[in-house]
Amino acid sequence: MEYENVLLQKEGKIAIVTINRPKALNALNSDTLKELDKVIDEISNDNEVLAVILTGAGEKAFVAGADISQMKDMNVLEGRAFAMLGNKIFRKVETLEKPVIAAVNGFALGGGCELSMACDIRIASEKAKFGQPEVTLGITPGFGGTQRLPRLVGMGMAKELVYSARTINAQEALRVGLVNRVVAPEVLMDEVKKLANEIASKAPVAVKLSKQAINRGMQVDMDTAVIIEAEVFGECFSTEDQTDAMTAFVEKRKLEGFKNR
Ligand code: CAA
């Protein structure tokens, strides 16, 4: 399928999704969000894809936020609907049954920071800048920033960043736990692809169920969380991959690859 504002490329077991409005620093308008929605569906249905990379086109930005020119004249109901659209799609990214890595190549502000936080893992270039500048525009974060930021960096730091609208550089984002790693801009995509391929070489069902257990478990009490873990752990024993991998280990031979999806 062809998209205008989002690029979808496949490299072996990896899908690379690029938000592609570089002239507007990849700002998210409704059309771009709706295309992202379709791209995620396409990836979800593609059994060959085992890991996803999400990035922004151009040198300057990952995503510089939701589109301010589109939001400028919204009324209460339109504002709410726009937030619900963004949240629905970002939740789809978050719950996609394949790991998603954000390759943050530049500005990740507002909706851009929020999109990166809906991904499983964030790797940042030294040039990346993060922030939730919404209060400078008279609005609150609307695509998950008030919810995912405190879950990632803790309530105190999230409140500081949201209330002050302060933009932080990649090193500070690393220090507060917003990103996993900071790398030189010229090696960003190579590093992210290396990690994506490493993940894609593991048992897909086990990776998928690990994601599910972590995501679901983080939202419930520990007694419920360990039941979720036991459920997914048990489910792994219904796969040939578990039998094959454990048999290969016991027989001291290398497993050729995983079958189950
Ligand atoms: N929406 C719409 N257009 C945007 C945009 C956005 N979020 N961010 C940048 N652009 C556009 C600019 O208007 C400009 O367009 P023109 O060339 O047509 O004038 C183009 O992208 C390049 O931007 P700048 O000239 O501003 O580039 P710069 O290097 O001087 O500054 C920047 C870069 C600091 C990121 C600056 O563009 C900026 O502050 N952008 C807005 C960031 C922001 O406030 N994001 C949050 C939006 S609110 C939100 O996301 C709500 C939510 O949670 C859902």
Side-chain angles (χ1 to χ4, degrees):
M1 214 161 145
E2 282 292 309
Y3 304 97
E4 199 182 323
N5 301 313
V6 181
L7 303 176
L8 172 59
Q9 297 158 267
K10 271 173 65 176
E11 286 185 17
K13 298 171 177 173
I14 309 302
I16 303 169
V17 178
T18 307
I19 307 296
N20 188 35
R21 292 183 74 210
K23 282 191 183 135
L25 302 187
N26 306 318
L28 299 171
N29 57 12
S30 310
D31 289 345
T32 308
L33 285 168
K34 285 173 189 163
E35 284 188 18
L36 179 62
D37 191 27
K38 292 205 186 98
V39 166
I40 298 300
D41 283 342
E42 199 175 321
I43 291 171
S44 173
N45 294 326
D46 188 338
N47 268 340
E48 282 175 13
V49 174
L50 297 180
V52 183
I53 296 170
L54 188 54
T55 193
E59 301 283 294
K60 237 174 126 177
F62 174 71
V63 165
D67 193 302
I68 299 168
S69 36
Q70 189 186 355
M71 288 184 292
K72 186 174 77 66
D73 296 319
M74 284 182 182
N75 62 28
V76 173
L77 289 180
E78 287 163 342
R80 191 181 296 164
F82 190 55
M84 285 176 82
L85 176 73
N87 272 317
K88 184 192 89 175
I89 296 158
F90 285 16
R91 188 82 182 117
K92 193 181 266 190
V93 172
E94 189 170 45
T95 57
L96 181 70
E97 290 190 326
K98 306 163 198 261
V100 185
I101 308 171
V104 184
N105 50 315
F107 289 112
L109 301 176
C113 186
E114 292 167 315
L115 180 57
S116 81
M117 291 191 290
C119 299
D120 295 287
I121 294 166
R122 282 148 297 284
I123 304 207
S125 117
E126 284 157 355
K127 290 199 311 204
K129 295 247 183 334
F130 294 82
Q132 297 291 156
E134 285 86 350
V135 295
T136 59
L137 295 163
I139 57 171
T140 59
F143 293 169
T146 61
Q147 304 309 312
R148 291 193 183 92
L149 191 58
R151 283 164 169 81
L152 270 170
V153 305
M155 203 195 288
M157 182 53 68
K159 285 179 171 172
E160 179 184 330
L161 292 177
V162 171
Y163 300 170
S164 71
R166 185 161 68 84
T167 296
I168 58 174
N169 64 23
Q171 280 307 332
E172 189 167 2
L174 180 67
R175 191 175 59 73
V176 300
L178 185 53
V179 302
N180 293 47
R181 221 185 287 171
V182 179
V183 300
E186 57 276 14
V187 299
L188 175 67
M189 278 316 273
D190 286 345
E191 288 286 319
V192 174
K193 283 181 191 175
K194 206 155 85 185
L195 177 59
N197 278 305
E198 201 176 320
I199 293 170
S201 73
K202 308 297 183 234
V205 174
V207 172
K208 170 181 83 176
L209 291 174
S210 301
K211 173 169 178 171
Q212 211 183 85
I214 294 171
N215 279 357
R216 286 172 59 202
M218 288 297 286
Q219 295 179 54
V220 297
D221 63 279
M222 189 56 84
D223 288 327
T224 312
V226 293
I227 293 170
I228 292 171
E229 184 177 79
E231 264 174 26
V232 300
F233 186 75
E235 205 176 323
C236 296
F237 291 81
S238 71
T239 65
E240 272 173 273
D241 286 346
Q242 173 272 323
T243 315
D244 292 352
M246 290 193 177
T247 307
F249 177 84
V250 170
E251 292 176 358
K252 300 192 188 304
R253 57 181 171 77
K254 203 171 177 301
L255 186 69
E256 281 314 311
F258 295 103
K259 300 188 190 90
N260 301 119
R261 293 286 183 270

